[in-house]
Amino acid sequence: MDHNMQEKNGERRYWSRWYVLLLVWLVLLIVFFYWFTQFYK
Amino acid sequence: MSILDWLILIGTLLAMILYGLYQSKGQQSSDSYIMAGRQMPWYTVLLGIMATQASAITFLSGPGQAYSDGMRFVQYYFGLPLAMIVIAAVFVPLFRKMNVYTAYEYLDQRFDQKTRLLTGILFLFSRGVSTGISVYAPAIILSSILDINIYLTNVLVGGLLIIYTYMGGAKAIAQTQKIQFSIILLSMAFAGYLIVNALPKDVNFQEALFLAGKSGKLNVITTNFDPRDKYNIWSGLIGGFFLALSYFGTDQSQVGRYISAKDTKESRLGLLLNGFVKIPMQFLILLLGALLFSFYSFQKAPITFNTKAETLAAQQASVAYQNLKVEYNLLTERNKELSANIVALKGTPNPVSLQKNLDELRQTQKQIEDNRADFQKIIKSNNIQAEANDTNYIFLHFVKNYMPMGMVGLLFAVVFLASWGSISAALNALASSSFLDFHKLVVKRGSFTPREELKWVRWHTLGWGVFSILVAMLATKMSASLIEVVNALGSVFYGVILGVFLVAFFIKRIKGTSVFIAALIGQVIIVVIYIYDLVGFLWLNLIGALLVIGIAFIIEEILRNKRIEKV
């Protein structure tokens, strides 16, 4: 049971990292696009 | 088009059909036909998801949109990564746990059969009609540019792919999509290089961007909030999130792609990586359009990129056309001079002169836009049988007139391949849903052998293929405004379907009857909002979903109180 719980938590942490990474990527893209828009305005 | 281009075009299409047929071998049951035996790795899922979403119009209207309206269209995709996270975290595990074949089958297990049938009908109607339009949309462009009969083009765009889709189902689709999308990406990247290369010798990439930027074409982020405005950061993040959630989470043509993966991990990886690459890809496609704008600033852009429309206008409305053309030629000549001046003055210590040229350039561009709009009025008011809006013709006009031999054929093949990738997935999804959610359920419950099932799903695939071509044929008789209505159908139905799924996933206390009535009422309200054009279409998904959730809550309370009263 403990082993299963540990495995589930580990998996949850693994995917959470992916989700955070994707959110950071989206923010970076928007910041880059904002700079791009202002730079070439 | 040269003989070499025709050979490359025909050769690529034939090779794709043969490859699809090769991948069709070994179909034994509906399970392998609908789910590809649930064996797909993440990269096949990723390319499948991207190829299904990206139709020919994505690659044609993207550059065209940037050319005419600037790059702000990319904001439309800002909600997509957020939706990928929600789908990977919530939707995927539930679909996989229930081991469903179609998204709507899940609703049967969570609610009841009538809710499954209702959402199935909404999906079949909207996806069926929009698949027909996605046959027609590139067909009319190809027909005009290649001067081929529109009925024949409809059959070429919508018919040839049926051969391998009918034979091989999901496996053949996944394998062909992988090749198709790789060819498309490589060709588009090379096209980008050729566009930069085609700029005048004294204009480099930076200067082309400078000119496009000063002409207002590099406006990626727009922060003004206007609910009627289609593309700004708010409608992109919020409206785009709900649109992507509906499309990827509840449209069987996408759900079918990622539930055919080997396991939950592969499904999730495919979806999340789509979240990473979709926006940069769309940005680059739009950048092609901005670069094309700079290119045509030095080349004298035609009054319309739909050459057929110009030829017909010269014949059928000759006086109005000639008068407009004289003024237009003077404007484009001046525009060309000003563009050259601006590039020459950039970086020199003469800001006053640069600003003066820029001011005049913007004024000239405005007059050019007005002239192009006047030309469209001539087309419409004289009932000329050609598309007045030339946005989707811009990229192919460049391809046909300025690309080297061989590349022209390859890029025309790309239009076909992009169409086939998304249409084949749609046909497979329509057939899966109409067979599993209706035929098998209603007509003859559970008494098919695996072979019979395979035979029937193939018939459904063929049926939907013929249906979409018929819709495309009908579209040739429709007015442009009616086609726009049909095009928006997805957004009219998606929100309600999403609302039903969100209730299913997150609000356990609401039961089938409440959500069923809420979906019906919500759908009527959305149609009214759409008819009276109260908000931009991206918001319809959010409103539809919220309506279903809200109304379902109220009805559930009423039904509960009635039950308690009875007791």
Side-chain angles (χ1 to χ4, degrees):
Chain A
M1 190 70 181
D2 272 356
H3 178 71
N4 268 352
M5 284 291 279
Q6 266 180 357
E7 206 173 300
K8 270 196 170 175
N9 282 336
E11 205 183 317
R12 208 169 288 155
R13 265 200 301 274
Y14 171 78
W15 288 112
S16 299
R17 267 183 234 133
W18 270 98
Y19 303 150
V20 172
L21 202 62
L22 186 48
L23 284 176
V24 171
W25 175 242
L26 176 63
V27 172
L28 287 176
L29 281 177
I30 293 176
V31 170
F32 166 71
F33 291 150
Y34 187 76
W35 168 84
F36 185 84
T37 306
Q38 297 303 319
F39 185 80
Y40 285 109
K41 209 170 177 180
Chain B
M1 227 163 63
S2 70
I3 294 177
L4 177 70
D5 289 314
W6 279 109
L7 284 176
I8 289 177
L9 171 61
I10 295 167
T12 311
L13 300 187
L14 276 179
M16 194 48 62
I17 295 168
L18 291 175
Y19 181 68
L21 285 174
Y22 169 72
Q23 289 293 343
S24 305
K25 283 191 299 188
Q27 294 292 339
Q28 299 290 333
S29 67
S30 63
D31 185 64
S32 63
Y33 191 84
I34 295 170
M35 286 287 115
R38 296 191 201 252
Q39 283 303 316
M40 293 302 150
W42 64 266
Y43 50 87
T44 310
V45 173
L46 169 67
L47 289 174
I49 288 172
M50 295 189 81
T52 302
Q53 188 184 18
S55 66
I57 291 302
T58 310
F59 295 99
L60 298 181
S61 84
Q65 192 97 31
Y67 185 103
S68 41
D69 186 43
M71 290 180 68
R72 67 194 186 114
F73 178 66
V74 81
Q75 296 171 113
Y76 177 82
Y77 294 96
F78 281 0
L80 187 143
L82 305 174
M84 291 301 105
I85 293 174
V86 176
I87 294 168
V90 182
F91 288 41
V92 170
L94 281 170
F95 284 148
R96 295 211 65 109
K97 195 173 141 197
M98 301 284 196
N99 206 21
V100 291
Y101 283 83
T102 72
Y104 320 108
E105 194 183 338
Y106 169 77
L107 296 177
D108 199 344
Q109 298 181 28
R110 165 66 177 86
F111 295 124
D112 48 32
Q113 212 176 82
K114 63 178 183 296
T115 312
R116 175 185 185 177
L117 292 177
L118 176 66
T119 48
I121 287 171
L122 293 180
F123 164 71
L124 290 177
F125 177 67
S126 62
R127 179 51 57 198
V129 176
S130 64
T131 304
I133 295 301
S134 56
V135 172
Y136 169 75
I140 180 77
I141 299 165
L142 290 168
S143 151
S144 176
I145 295 180
L146 297 175
D147 203 18
I148 309 175
N149 177 287
I150 176 66
Y151 297 111
L152 176 63
T153 329
N154 276 337
V155 174
L156 293 175
V157 174
L160 294 177
L161 68 112
I162 298 176
I163 301 170
Y164 66 80
T165 310
Y166 170 86
M167 290 302 293
K171 187 185 161 218
I173 293 166
Q175 297 302 340
T176 47
Q177 278 182 328
K178 210 160 58 176
I179 306 287
Q180 285 162 353
F181 209 64
S182 305
I183 296 175
I184 292 168
L185 288 186
L186 287 174
S187 308
M188 292 303 281
F190 195 55
Y193 165 77
L194 289 174
I195 292 172
V196 177
N197 219 26
L199 289 165
K201 278 204 179 83
D202 47 349
V203 180
N204 61 28
F205 178 65
Q206 270 296 336
E207 287 159 345
L209 282 185
F210 178 78
L211 187 64
K214 294 296 174 201
S215 309
K217 304 299 171 186
L218 302 184
N219 55 343
V220 185
I221 302 277
T222 47
T223 49
N224 57 312
F225 183 81
D226 176 1
R228 279 164 169 271
D229 180 29
K230 278 187 207 164
Y231 314 118
N232 55 55
I233 192 165
W234 315 114
S235 68
L237 276 170
I238 305 167
F241 167 70
F242 281 90
L243 174 67
L245 200 59
S246 326
Y247 175 57
F248 289 97
T250 73
D251 189 311
Q252 181 60 24
S253 54
Q254 283 296 353
V255 177
R257 305 283 71 72
Y258 57 81
I259 57 173
S260 63
K262 239 187 313 204
D263 52 32
T264 307
K265 190 182 171 193
E266 305 290 309
S267 301
R268 278 178 164 163
L269 273 180
L271 283 163
L272 292 174
L273 288 171
N274 180 42
F276 276 98
V277 296
K278 183 71 190 176
I279 298 176
M281 187 191 92
Q282 235 19 79
F283 173 80
L284 292 173
I285 292 174
L286 287 160
L287 194 63
L288 293 185
L291 290 170
L292 277 180
F293 181 84
S294 294
F295 170 82
Y296 278 110
S297 297
F298 299 104
Q299 293 291 330
K300 288 179 75 179
I303 196 162
T304 174
F305 287 89
N306 182 0
T307 319
K308 188 181 169 191
E310 190 168 0
T311 313
L312 290 175
Q315 290 164 359
Q316 295 173 30
S318 116
V319 177
Y321 166 76
Q322 291 302 344
N323 288 341
L324 192 63
K325 194 69 199 276
V326 170
E327 191 189 337
Y328 183 80
N329 281 343
L330 291 172
L331 285 169
T332 45
E333 196 54 56
R334 184 66 190 140
N335 189 62
K336 205 173 134 183
E337 285 166 17
L338 288 165
S339 302
N341 289 349
I342 286 163
V343 169
L345 284 167
K346 181 185 172 271
T348 58
N350 196 350
V352 180
S353 185
L354 177 64
Q355 195 54 48
K356 211 176 131 212
N357 275 278
L358 277 172
D359 290 341
E360 200 190 333
L361 178 81
R362 286 186 188 127
Q363 217 176 345
T364 316
Q365 283 171 347
K366 173 81 184 57
Q367 285 171 307
I368 287 177
E369 276 311 302
D370 291 345
N371 266 221
R372 279 169 45 79
D374 286 343
F375 177 80
Q376 294 189 9
K377 280 182 202 152
I378 292 179
I379 293 284
K380 285 176 189 162
S381 60
N382 288 281
N383 281 328
I384 292 170
Q385 290 300 306
E387 273 194 300
N389 185 347
D390 64 343
T391 308
N392 296 341
Y393 290 76
I394 297 172
F395 181 63
L396 284 182
H397 181 276
F398 174 82
V399 169
K400 197 181 171 199
N401 294 290
Y402 297 99
M403 284 269 177
M405 216 193 327
M407 198 58 194
V408 180
L410 185 62
L411 283 165
F412 274 93
V414 159
V415 178
F416 278 95
L417 297 185
S419 304
W420 290 5
S422 58
I423 295 166
S424 58
L427 293 186
N428 185 253
L430 287 164
S432 313
S433 178
S434 64
F435 176 68
L436 295 171
D437 297 321
F438 292 88
H439 187 161
K440 196 176 167 191
L441 199 72
V442 181
V443 182
K444 206 177 171 187
R445 190 168 196 153
S447 57
F448 291 113
T449 64
R451 281 236 155 244
E452 279 177 332
E453 281 195 1
L454 176 63
K455 187 187 80 182
W456 274 113
V457 194
R458 278 186 168 153
W459 276 113
H460 279 253
T461 307
L462 185 64
W464 282 110
V466 173
F467 176 82
S468 59
I469 294 174
L470 286 178
V471 172
M473 298 294 189
L474 271 178
T476 60
K477 303 281 175 211
M478 287 183 203
S479 64
S481 52
L482 189 56
I483 289 169
E484 258 176 46
V485 170
V486 177
N487 238 344
L489 269 183
S491 294
V492 175
F493 294 103
Y494 271 164
V496 170
I497 300 179
L498 176 66
V500 175
F501 275 91
L502 290 180
V503 171
F505 291 147
F506 297 109
I507 312 170
K508 295 279 176 251
R509 68 194 303 259
I510 295 179
K511 303 280 180 282
T513 304
S514 310
V515 83
F516 178 80
I517 299 169
L520 286 176
I521 299 172
Q523 192 57 70
V524 173
I525 298 175
I526 285 292
V527 170
V528 172
I529 293 176
Y530 175 71
I531 289 171
Y532 287 98
D533 195 18
L534 299 178
V535 290
F537 79 95
L538 264 179
W539 295 103
L540 289 177
N541 301 287
L542 169 63
I543 298 169
L546 290 180
L547 275 173
V548 172
I549 296 170
I551 298 169
F553 250 119
I554 298 167
I555 296 173
E556 186 65 31
E557 281 310 308
I558 297 169
L559 291 178
R560 257 170 213 262
N561 287 340
K562 275 197 174 170
R563 264 181 243 135
I564 292 167
E565 274 169 27
K566 269 188 190 169
V567 173

